[in-house]
Amino acid sequence: MLRFPRLLLPAVLAATLTSALPADEGMWLLTAPPRAQIKERYGFEVTDPWLEHIRLSSMRFNVGGSGSFVSADGLVITNHHVGFDAIQKLSTEQRNLVRDGFHAKAAGDEMKCVDLELNMLVSIEDVTARVNAAVPEKAEADASNLARRKVMAEIEKESLEKTGFRSDVVTLYQGGAYHLYRYKRFTDVRLVFAPEQTIAAFGGDPDNFEYPRYCLDFSLFRVYEDGKPYKPQHFLKWSKDGAADGELTFVFGNPGNTSRLLTLPELDFVRRLSVPMQKATLKARESLLISWSARSAENARRAKDVLLGIQNGRKVRDGNAAALYDPVFWQAKVKGESDFRSRLAQSPEKFGDALAAFDKIAEAQKRVNEIFPRFRMIEQGVGFASDSFGYARLLLRAAEERAKPNGERLREYGDAGKASFEQRLFSEQPIHEDLEIVLLSDSLQYFAEQFGPDDALVLKVLDGKSPRNRAAELINTTKVRDLAVRKQLYEGGQAAVDAAKDPLIEVARILDPEARSVRKEWESLSETKKQAQGALARARFALEGASNYPDATFTLRLSYGAVKGYEENGQQIPPFSTYAGLYERNTKQNNREPFDLPTIWQKAKTKVNMKTPFNLVTTHDIIGGNSGSPLVNRAGEFVGIIFDGNLQSLSGDYAYDDRQGRALSVHSSGIIEALDKVYGATAIVAELRNGKR
Amino acid sequence: MLRFPRLLLPAVLAATLTSALPADEGMWLLTAPPRAQIKERYGFEVTDPWLEHIRLSSMRFNVGGSGSFVSADGLVITNHHVGFDAIQKLSTEQRNLVRDGFHAKAAGDEMKCVDLELNMLVSIEDVTARVNAAVPEKAEADASNLARRKVMAEIEKESLEKTGFRSDVVTLYQGGAYHLYRYKRFTDVRLVFAPEQTIAAFGGDPDNFEYPRYCLDFSLFRVYEDGKPYKPQHFLKWSKDGAADGELTFVFGNPGNTSRLLTLPELDFVRRLSVPMQKATLKARESLLISWSARSAENARRAKDVLLGIQNGRKVRDGNAAALYDPVFWQAKVKGESDFRSRLAQSPEKFGDALAAFDKIAEAQKRVNEIFPRFRMIEQGVGFASDSFGYARLLLRAAEERAKPNGERLREYGDAGKASFEQRLFSEQPIHEDLEIVLLSDSLQYFAEQFGPDDALVLKVLDGKSPRNRAAELINTTKVRDLAVRKQLYEGGQAAVDAAKDPLIEVARILDPEARSVRKEWESLSETKKQAQGALARARFALEGASNYPDATFTLRLSYGAVKGYEENGQQIPPFSTYAGLYERNTKQNNREPFDLPTIWQKAKTKVNMKTPFNLVTTHDIIGGNSGSPLVNRAGEFVGIIFDGNLQSLSGDYAYDDRQGRALSVHSSGIIEALDKVYGATAIVAELRNGKR
């Protein structure tokens, strides 16, 4: 599924895109929609009223997702996996809404969510001039930053006071433009309907990112105001037949973040070092946990969540690698950068800074490549995978950092993050000693293999023992898994931590000089790159203005595209899956997890129309954060809901590619068929069809 | 389980061991047993009659395993996994003896095996002088080899004609000594008893190499001669109580091969390059196949065998790596080589060759390290994993090689191997196109990541496409999976292969110049190392004679040791597992595969004595080939049967290590309890207890 955010380690951005966009590319600003392209490709005229209608029908979920109004009585549709957090928080031991689903048959049954916030984008204002005016022209980077942050905060405060709306100044084009987004906030949100998780995420990890799919990945909420259902001025009418093959559709949603503007040396680092190393680590960890899980049911239970996360990550990295090693994909990137450079070179007097920025980035990146393996192993802790080591390092560093003035501390030990830091350090989550030993011994072995058995740090850490025996010794003798000990050491500060002579804290101490030094260099290189990228972004915006789209910022964007199958391994993959396909897959898998169906679905088998479309693929340019975005037709009607991309769409972090990459939606007719024939949710069906209760 | 043979890629050997052996180390020649060590450590006197008794009770299985006579009526016991091949060949669709087991209740029920050969070692003769005398002193390496092979063949032929016994001249100490082993051959071998595979290999892959274990890994055969049960002069009496904690016991069996004498640069290559690369490849392949298997039951069925092999290999490599990165283990190796060098240096006039050999090996190894990644990827085909590519290369090379004189061809295309080559090329095993695409695309991706996207060979192979698309294209368009096409191309020779323009054969052609050249260099370096190792081995034998044991040669050896638990992760692992433990593990795993029990075992739960020992661990020095070896007490009685080593014993390829490494056996009382209480095999129980029918 589309998880939010899908961050790559080096979250750095730069401007390289050519303005000649292929096909249906782009996550467009609503203030600068690609009217000409849409008109040219699809003969459709994007009008202001049409845009406003959909903008005011769209919703942003604060948990990291999108949604839309689908009735005049404030009914909102999103993904099940976007609503998941709220659904889980409403569950109790006796009432497992995640497993069993939920259906409010009467208005009074709707359940108020704990901390769900929805935002409706009411206006957008360009405040670039005011922001830039507040920044002194010749200021140092730090002073500029400070001045910029100050004026942005002022604008937000003023706006909030004046309008009462949530007001966010959004940095677009990495500083090329600043827009003030005003949102109407909804905090009384109630759960109306959720299917069972087994059908919402049918096929689980094995089918994750695959297609054809059969996921009923939607849930329904109702927005209330003053204790009554909110009556939105705008909502999406439910389409009678849903999306058809080849049809032009639109996605309105909040894509989280992309790294489309990385320069070639940065992207080359991703493909040669970062992604292959992450792949190797994830697959080794997966093998380890699968093997350990097979030893007992209890082991399997303990490792399950971690393993699922690893498997999701492994699919994402495999997808990234597939894109980055595709010569066609890469050549497009090369051409993009080369074209951009040529355009800059035409006005060297104007773009001198930008042209120099390329070299600055390349130089910094060279050093990043060199230090990355040690940064990753020692500071990011890949060589010390275990919760116990995590605690040991937090305790060691907290003692040192808290003794310093706030401004001089490592970021995560600052006063601002104190509460969340302490929440993390004093977590009461269960830690399993046996799993800790398995994880630490495997990662110490990896540490020794990568750096070599004679590496000075390896020798010090292993202390003359094998990785396996050293891990067992450390995990068995450390006291940091004891909450009381953590509290005592944290409160006792440096003296207490030193006196403890805890073996795992001592290992963290052995690592710390190099860990701190490599981190310092890493952060300084990142800052150098960021400033150079700023110069590129400004140059690019100067050339293109808003004729191109900015990297994703978790704000409302418009994508356009068509319902369209694709070819894979020489086979044509049809655009729609159907109910027949769902039941067939369930039968072929002998109803085994994660291909099992809830009883109510088994019973409904004779009632549903097997030809009803279930999921579909489209060419839209989407990314994590787009989950729950409505798929809208020319008439502005709801024809489906985005819930995932296929494996080939995982190139989307770096570039749009529609040769095989596709966005996945649940078809609107598939939703109605389930509500009607499977769940007998006649009132909801009527509300969706009529656009009101 | 102990698979035979467990070969490391570079099967090269050299002499470095110190003569000061720790603990119970050694796979000793029966002609030079470590009488003094055993006497000193355990106070037991190894006498010639005692040795002869056990030698004549021991059996070698031609499928790669060991066994022993346990009754005067020719009953032989071995492992279930050693007997597996024979048991499977006796199975039919209607009569699945692997799944259901077998029990011959009457003599007439015993089933004759298809092609099983058992060997009893009747005599050993030192023929070193005659072999050496036949080799001219100043001959070139090739001429020496030829002369040596000739005299060995003469000795074998003479002996066979004179005695009628199978006669093998065995090269010991890499040429330090030559012994003539004479075997009585048995080819009429009949299956008497086999348990169900689920209990023989209880715990499957998850428990493989783990301890405590619960495997009833034995089977019973009877040797016939002239249609009647053979009456051996010697057999092992069944011990009344079996092995006890701390008790001295002996293992008589045929260890397959070891690499204990590698020099440090060779071993350093194994730990820094070979093993880590193999680990990474195995784990990535495992992740791929698990993920693919999860997509459908049919996928799982197709990938099962390959996956099990990969998982076994992954455990072995993890075990190798754990040993090689253990500083204690490594320091012992360093000291061993250093001591040996010092002793050589004391007589430089005598050992000049050997002293120079160290440098020769180091120099050759340096180049091996450089070419290994490309040798492995291109010539060994790690970058092209698929049966289709295998066929493509065989066809391409067969056409070229068969046109050459026999002596100039690559080894596998020689006339001698023609039959087995054609059997391989014309195999009718099913190949699944979808699995082929998955495997080839993953390995092409690995190829591109390892060599880099700009590597000239990568660019040529991918032909402007992504690894995934290129793999699909190649697998979908090649014709080599069609047996008729393979026959036609093979018979048509070079002209037919060239004319075919088969896309996958063309890929093999792209690779071939570099593949051949790196292979040529690899083989030449291996030969250089082998000759240098010969010099070291001769020097070592000159110093130590038979006071040390030679590397394993799949001939009868004696190991000694004690029943002894060990400490792991801070916990004491007891030496014995019990029936109670078996049933507990089965229950905790909810009887799910591979922890399920046959119905007959579930029914017997109330009948068996839960305290009966099931498996046990001992300190013996064993390796693949020792499977089925009897565990014998001072009285020469059968007290158990070797079937595996634990994870920590996987260091055994390179050195003996008894800190945690243990040999695993089935306890003799555990066998009787099963035969008696579970299977009601009263006749067999009586035969074992009485030593006759």
Side-chain angles (χ1 to χ4, degrees):
Chain A
M1 62 191 69
L2 290 175
R3 284 173 198 243
F4 176 88
R6 280 213 316 255
L7 270 175
L8 242 209
L9 254 184
V12 287
L13 305 163
T16 61
L17 257 197
T18 166
S19 59
L21 297 174
D24 300 334
E25 172 166 357
M27 302 165 177
W28 298 92
L29 294 174
L30 268 68
T31 45
R35 295 183 208 264
Q37 290 99 308
I38 296 172
K39 174 86 183 174
E40 192 194 321
R41 284 178 62 84
Y42 293 100
F44 178 73
E45 198 91 48
V46 173
T47 66
D48 287 343
W50 184 87
L51 270 183
E52 189 190 0
H53 166 64
I54 305 181
R55 169 169 55 80
L56 292 171
S57 302
S58 298
M59 299 296 271
R60 185 172 74 168
F61 278 65
N62 66 341
V63 286
S66 305
S68 56
F69 280 123
V70 282
S71 109
D73 291 295
L75 196 63
V76 170
I77 191 165
T78 185
N79 287 148
H80 183 272
H81 79 267
V82 171
F84 181 85
D85 182 70
I87 298 166
Q88 192 168 44
K89 283 177 178 159
L90 289 174
S91 294
T92 62
E93 215 178 318
Q94 288 74 38
R95 190 183 59 192
N96 189 335
L97 305 185
V98 171
R99 186 188 62 207
D100 304 331
F102 178 74
H103 176 190
K105 287 186 181 144
D109 297 340
E110 297 178 358
M111 294 177 73
K112 190 168 176 177
C113 299
V114 180
D115 53 6
L116 188 59
E117 177 180 321
L118 269 55
N119 296 153
M120 178 173 77
L121 180 59
V122 291
S123 76
I124 302 172
E125 188 182 327
D126 189 337
V127 293
T128 313
R130 182 168 166 197
V131 171
N132 286 343
V135 179
E137 258 196 43
K138 302 271 170 202
E140 291 286 313
D142 282 357
S144 299
N145 263 334
L146 211 67
R148 200 175 296 116
R149 273 194 232 158
K150 190 165 162 256
V151 69
M152 283 163 76
E154 276 169 19
I155 296 170
E156 289 173 352
K157 188 161 176 258
E158 259 178 46
S159 168
L160 175 65
E161 281 168 5
K162 199 173 90 186
T163 65
F165 288 127
R166 169 176 177 156
S167 300
D168 299 345
V169 175
V170 181
T171 304
L172 298 166
Y173 303 104
Q174 281 97 307
Y178 298 88
H179 288 186
L180 171 62
Y181 279 54
R182 290 200 186 90
Y183 295 97
K184 179 164 174 62
R185 296 170 65 221
F186 298 100
T187 52
D188 182 353
V189 184
R190 307 193 188 175
L191 180 61
V192 176
F193 183 89
E196 305 83 353
Q197 197 190 11
T198 45
I199 184 66
F202 182 82
D205 180 73
D207 276 9
N208 194 12
F209 298 119
E210 306 280 350
Y211 196 75
R213 280 279 272 293
Y214 312 92
C215 292
L216 194 72
D217 196 351
F218 86 97
S219 56
L220 291 166
F221 294 84
R222 194 181 305 280
V223 167
Y224 280 68
E225 208 173 38
D226 304 325
K228 282 176 299 190
Y230 176 72
K231 306 279 184 184
Q233 271 189 290
H234 294 271
F235 66 91
L236 302 180
K237 279 184 62 184
W238 200 272
S239 156
K240 190 173 159 288
D241 298 317
D245 192 5
E247 184 179 355
L248 166 68
T249 54
F250 301 87
V251 168
F252 283 77
N254 301 275
N257 58 285
T258 46
S259 305
R260 300 229 169 142
L261 307 179
L262 291 180
T263 59
L264 289 175
E266 295 168 290
L267 214 49
D268 200 45
F269 159 75
V270 175
R271 72 171 174 165
R272 285 182 199 260
L273 288 174
S274 163
V275 164
M277 279 194 192
Q278 289 179 67
K279 277 175 63 176
T281 309
L282 286 166
K283 290 177 186 189
R285 190 80 39 95
E286 182 184 14
S287 162
L288 180 76
L289 291 179
I290 284 178
S291 167
W292 191 74
S293 295
R295 299 263 296 141
S296 81
E298 174 60 15
N299 283 7
R301 192 190 66 76
R302 290 179 182 184
K304 191 179 172 191
D305 282 350
V306 181
L307 183 56
L308 281 177
I310 286 170
Q311 292 180 319
N312 189 70
R314 183 250 302 153
K315 283 210 180 186
V316 171
R317 292 295 162 247
D318 270 343
N320 294 157
L324 292 165
Y325 280 81
D326 179 347
V328 175
F329 184 93
W330 188 260
Q331 284 315 316
K333 280 285 180 189
V334 170
K335 182 170 185 311
E337 181 162 313
S338 157
D339 290 351
F340 179 45
R341 275 190 189 232
S342 303
R343 289 163 72 199
L344 294 178
Q346 286 165 18
S347 316
E349 68 300 339
K350 196 170 161 194
F351 296 124
D353 268 16
L355 288 163
F358 276 113
D359 297 335
K360 278 187 197 157
I361 291 174
E363 198 192 316
Q365 188 60 50
K366 213 169 143 189
R367 180 66 187 150
V368 164
N369 296 357
E370 285 166 9
I371 67 172
F372 176 64
R374 292 192 83 89
F375 173 70
R376 184 171 166 265
M377 191 73 77
I378 301 170
E379 173 61 17
Q380 293 197 313
V382 169
F384 303 87
S386 61
D387 288 329
S388 303
F389 177 78
Y391 284 141
R393 172 173 277 177
L394 287 182
L395 288 169
L396 176 80
R397 288 189 171 172
E400 290 178 27
E401 295 296 308
R402 287 169 71 223
K404 299 177 186 171
N406 186 38
E408 292 171 23
R409 298 182 201 159
L410 293 174
R411 197 177 52 249
E412 62 273 30
Y413 300 89
D415 286 338
K418 190 160 183 264
S420 70
F421 175 85
E422 290 179 357
Q423 194 178 25
R424 188 174 155 209
L425 182 62
F426 301 141
S427 162
E428 297 192 52
Q429 58 158 340
I431 304 181
H432 307 293
E433 202 167 301
D434 47 359
L435 181 53
E436 291 278 284
I437 291 175
V438 162
L439 285 169
L440 185 60
S441 73
D442 193 66
S443 54
L444 283 180
Q445 177 77 35
Y446 182 66
F447 169 52
E449 287 177 15
Q450 291 295 304
F451 288 6
D454 303 330
D455 180 90
L457 206 54
V458 169
L459 289 170
K460 270 196 232 166
V461 167
L462 293 183
D463 193 28
K465 289 160 195 117
S466 70
R468 185 187 286 171
N469 290 338
R470 180 65 167 151
E473 175 186 81
L474 289 170
I475 296 296
N476 285 332
T477 54
T478 183
K479 300 264 186 299
V480 298
R481 285 190 305 283
D482 181 336
L483 177 57
V485 170
R486 290 204 297 280
K487 287 204 164 144
Q488 181 247 317
L489 293 182
Y490 181 67
E491 280 149 21
Q494 185 99 41
V497 169
D498 291 353
K501 297 205 183 306
D502 185 278
L504 208 48
I505 295 179
E506 295 312 307
V507 166
R509 198 191 297 277
I510 288 168
L511 298 174
D512 225 35
E514 183 172 345
R516 282 174 177 268
S517 119
V518 73
R519 171 173 170 166
K520 196 171 166 193
E521 188 173 6
W522 181 272
E523 286 179 350
S524 145
L525 291 164
S526 300
E527 186 55 34
T528 303
K529 288 198 287 177
K530 205 173 151 191
Q531 290 188 12
Q533 285 151 359
L536 288 175
R538 283 189 299 277
R540 179 169 173 268
F541 192 68
L543 283 169
E544 299 177 346
S547 74
N548 208 332
Y549 66 97
D551 254 320
T553 46
F554 196 43
T555 52
L556 195 63
R557 300 289 179 90
L558 152 69
S559 300
Y560 66 98
V563 179
K564 197 174 170 190
Y566 58 102
E567 198 188 286
E568 186 177 54
N569 296 347
Q571 287 193 307
Q572 193 59 33
I573 311 292
F576 299 104
S577 69
T578 62
Y579 271 64
L582 168 73
Y583 282 105
E584 194 187 324
R585 189 142 180 74
N586 167 259
T587 306
K588 277 207 179 160
Q589 295 278 2
N590 300 318
N591 199 40
R592 75 186 166 111
E593 199 192 339
F595 302 96
D596 50 327
L597 282 176
T599 317
I600 196 171
W601 277 81
Q602 293 171 17
K603 285 187 187 154
K605 197 169 177 178
T606 53
K607 287 185 276 179
V608 299
N609 178 351
M610 288 293 176
K611 291 183 185 160
T612 311
F614 206 117
N615 291 171
L616 74 154
V617 283
T618 61
T619 61
H620 295 91
D621 190 359
I622 61 154
I623 203 87
N626 266 122
S627 282
S629 299
L631 199 65
V632 175
N633 65 12
R634 291 167 196 237
E637 293 170 336
F638 180 96
V639 295
I641 185 165
I642 293 286
F643 74 96
D644 204 356
N646 65 358
L647 276 174
Q648 292 89 339
S649 79
L650 289 168
S651 64
D653 283 337
Y654 314 111
Y656 172 77
D657 186 346
D658 69 349
R659 287 172 299 159
Q660 296 179 303
R662 290 293 181 273
L664 270 57
S665 295
V666 190
H667 195 278
S668 57
S669 301
I671 293 172
I672 290 289
E673 187 74 6
L675 287 169
D676 188 16
K677 306 277 182 61
V678 181
Y679 296 104
T682 42
I684 297 175
V685 170
E687 182 173 358
L688 291 174
R689 283 193 171 138
N690 303 331
K692 61 178 184 185
R693 282 207 284 212
Chain B
M1 62 191 70
L2 289 174
R3 286 178 196 238
F4 175 87
R6 280 214 316 255
L7 272 173
L8 242 210
L9 252 186
V12 285
L13 305 165
T16 60
L17 255 196
T18 166
S19 58
L21 297 174
D24 301 335
E25 172 165 357
M27 301 164 179
W28 298 91
L29 293 174
L30 267 69
T31 46
R35 295 183 207 262
Q37 289 99 310
I38 296 172
K39 174 86 183 173
E40 192 194 321
R41 284 179 63 84
Y42 294 100
F44 179 72
E45 198 92 47
V46 174
T47 66
D48 287 342
W50 184 88
L51 269 183
E52 190 190 359
H53 167 64
I54 305 180
R55 170 169 55 79
L56 292 172
S57 303
S58 298
M59 300 296 271
R60 186 172 73 168
F61 278 64
N62 67 340
V63 286
S66 305
S68 55
F69 280 124
V70 282
S71 109
D73 291 296
L75 197 63
V76 170
I77 191 165
T78 186
N79 288 147
H80 183 272
H81 79 267
V82 171
F84 181 85
D85 183 68
I87 298 166
Q88 192 167 45
K89 284 176 178 161
L90 289 174
S91 296
T92 62
E93 214 179 319
Q94 287 75 39
R95 190 182 60 192
N96 189 334
L97 304 186
V98 172
R99 188 188 61 207
D100 304 332
F102 178 75
H103 177 190
K105 287 186 180 144
D109 297 340
E110 296 176 2
M111 295 177 73
K112 191 170 173 177
C113 301
V114 180
D115 53 5
L116 188 59
E117 177 180 322
L118 269 55
N119 296 153
M120 179 173 75
L121 180 58
V122 291
S123 75
I124 303 171
E125 190 183 325
D126 189 336
V127 292
T128 312
R130 182 168 166 196
V131 171
N132 286 343
V135 179
E137 259 198 38
K138 300 272 171 203
E140 292 286 312
D142 282 357
S144 300
N145 263 335
L146 211 64
R148 200 175 295 116
R149 272 193 233 159
K150 192 167 159 256
V151 69
M152 285 163 77
E154 277 168 19
I155 296 171
E156 290 173 353
K157 192 163 169 257
E158 260 178 45
S159 168
L160 175 65
E161 281 166 7
K162 200 173 91 188
T163 64
F165 289 128
R166 169 177 176 154
S167 300
D168 300 345
V169 175
V170 180
T171 304
L172 298 167
Y173 303 104
Q174 280 97 309
Y178 299 89
H179 288 186
L180 170 61
Y181 280 54
R182 290 200 187 90
Y183 296 98
K184 182 167 173 58
R185 296 172 65 222
F186 298 99
T187 51
D188 183 354
V189 185
R190 306 193 188 175
L191 181 61
V192 176
F193 182 89
E196 304 83 353
Q197 198 190 10
T198 44
I199 183 68
F202 182 83
D205 180 74
D207 276 9
N208 193 11
F209 299 118
E210 306 279 351
Y211 196 76
R213 280 279 270 293
Y214 312 92
C215 292
L216 193 71
D217 196 352
F218 85 98
S219 56
L220 292 167
F221 294 84
R222 195 181 305 281
V223 168
Y224 281 67
E225 207 173 37
D226 304 326
K228 284 177 300 194
Y230 176 73
K231 305 279 183 182
Q233 272 189 289
H234 295 270
F235 67 89
L236 302 180
K237 280 184 61 184
W238 200 271
S239 157
K240 191 173 159 288
D241 298 318
D245 193 5
E247 184 179 354
L248 166 67
T249 53
F250 300 88
V251 168
F252 283 77
N254 302 274
N257 58 285
T258 46
S259 306
R260 300 227 170 144
L261 307 178
L262 290 180
T263 59
L264 290 176
E266 295 168 290
L267 214 50
D268 200 46
F269 159 74
V270 174
R271 72 170 173 164
R272 286 182 200 259
L273 288 174
S274 164
V275 164
M277 278 192 193
Q278 290 179 68
K279 277 175 62 174
T281 309
L282 286 166
K283 290 177 187 190
R285 192 77 42 91
E286 182 183 14
S287 161
L288 180 76
L289 291 179
I290 284 179
S291 166
W292 191 73
S293 296
R295 298 264 294 141
S296 81
E298 175 59 14
N299 285 7
R301 192 189 66 77
R302 291 180 181 184
K304 191 179 175 194
D305 283 349
V306 181
L307 183 55
L308 281 176
I310 286 170
Q311 291 180 319
N312 189 70
R314 183 249 301 152
K315 283 208 180 184
V316 171
R317 292 294 163 248
D318 270 344
N320 293 157
L324 293 165
Y325 280 82
D326 178 348
V328 175
F329 184 93
W330 189 260
Q331 283 316 315
K333 280 285 180 190
V334 171
K335 182 169 184 312
E337 182 162 313
S338 156
D339 290 351
F340 180 44
R341 276 191 189 231
S342 303
R343 289 163 73 201
L344 295 178
Q346 285 164 19
S347 316
E349 69 299 341
K350 198 172 159 194
F351 295 124
D353 269 16
L355 287 164
F358 276 114
D359 297 335
K360 281 187 194 156
I361 292 175
E363 198 192 317
Q365 189 59 50
K366 211 168 143 190
R367 181 63 186 152
V368 165
N369 296 356
E370 285 166 10
I371 67 172
F372 176 64
R374 293 191 84 88
F375 173 70
R376 183 170 168 266
M377 191 73 78
I378 300 170
E379 173 60 17
Q380 294 198 310
V382 169
F384 303 87
S386 61
D387 288 329
S388 303
F389 178 79
Y391 285 140
R393 172 172 278 176
L394 288 182
L395 289 168
L396 176 79
R397 288 189 171 172
E400 291 179 27
E401 295 296 306
R402 286 169 73 222
K404 298 179 186 169
N406 186 39
E408 291 172 23
R409 299 182 200 157
L410 292 174
R411 197 178 50 249
E412 62 272 31
Y413 301 89
D415 287 338
K418 189 160 183 262
S420 70
F421 175 85
E422 290 178 357
Q423 194 178 26
R424 188 173 155 210
L425 182 61
F426 301 140
S427 161
E428 298 191 50
Q429 59 157 340
I431 304 180
H432 307 292
E433 203 167 300
D434 48 359
L435 181 53
E436 291 278 283
I437 292 176
V438 162
L439 285 169
L440 185 60
S441 75
D442 193 64
S443 53
L444 283 180
Q445 177 76 36
Y446 182 66
F447 170 52
E449 287 177 14
Q450 291 294 302
F451 288 6
D454 303 331
D455 179 89
L457 206 54
V458 170
L459 289 171
K460 272 196 231 167
V461 167
L462 292 185
D463 193 29
K465 290 159 194 118
S466 70
R468 185 187 287 171
N469 290 340
R470 181 65 167 150
E473 176 186 79
L474 289 170
I475 297 296
N476 285 332
T477 55
T478 182
K479 301 266 186 297
V480 298
R481 285 191 304 283
D482 182 335
L483 177 58
V485 171
R486 290 204 297 280
K487 287 203 164 142
Q488 181 248 317
L489 293 182
Y490 181 67
E491 280 148 24
Q494 184 100 42
V497 169
D498 291 353
K501 299 206 182 306
D502 186 278
L504 208 48
I505 296 180
E506 295 311 306
V507 166
R509 198 192 296 277
I510 289 169
L511 297 174
D512 225 35
E514 184 172 345
R516 282 173 176 269
S517 119
V518 73
R519 172 173 169 168
K520 197 173 164 192
E521 188 173 6
W522 180 273
E523 288 179 350
S524 147
L525 291 163
S526 300
E527 187 54 35
T528 303
K529 287 198 286 177
K530 205 173 151 190
Q531 290 188 12
Q533 285 150 1
L536 289 175
R538 282 189 299 277
R540 179 171 173 266
F541 191 68
L543 284 169
E544 299 178 346
S547 74
N548 208 333
Y549 66 98
D551 253 320
T553 47
F554 196 43
T555 51
L556 195 63
R557 301 288 180 89
L558 152 69
S559 300
Y560 65 97
V563 178
K564 197 175 170 189
Y566 57 102
E567 197 188 286
E568 186 177 55
N569 296 347
Q571 287 192 307
Q572 193 59 35
I573 310 292
F576 299 103
S577 69
T578 62
Y579 272 65
L582 168 73
Y583 282 106
E584 194 187 324
R585 188 143 180 74
N586 167 258
T587 306
K588 277 206 179 160
Q589 295 279 1
N590 301 317
N591 199 41
R592 74 184 167 112
E593 198 193 339
F595 302 97
D596 50 329
L597 282 176
T599 317
I600 195 170
W601 277 82
Q602 291 169 20
K603 284 186 186 154
K605 195 168 177 179
T606 52
K607 287 186 275 179
V608 300
N609 178 352
M610 289 294 177
K611 290 182 184 158
T612 312
F614 206 119
N615 291 171
L616 73 153
V617 283
T618 61
T619 61
H620 295 91
D621 191 358
I622 60 154
I623 203 89
N626 266 122
S627 283
S629 300
L631 199 65
V632 175
N633 64 14
R634 292 169 195 238
E637 294 170 334
F638 180 97
V639 295
I641 185 167
I642 294 285
F643 75 96
D644 204 357
N646 65 358
L647 277 173
Q648 293 89 339
S649 78
L650 289 167
S651 65
D653 283 337
Y654 313 110
Y656 172 78
D657 186 345
D658 69 349
R659 287 172 299 159
Q660 296 179 301
R662 290 293 180 275
L664 271 56
S665 296
V666 190
H667 195 276
S668 57
S669 300
I671 293 172
I672 291 289
E673 188 75 6
L675 287 169
D676 189 15
K677 306 276 183 61
V678 181
Y679 297 103
T682 43
I684 296 174
V685 170
E687 182 173 356
L688 291 174
R689 281 193 172 138
N690 304 329
K692 60 177 183 182
R693 279 206 285 210

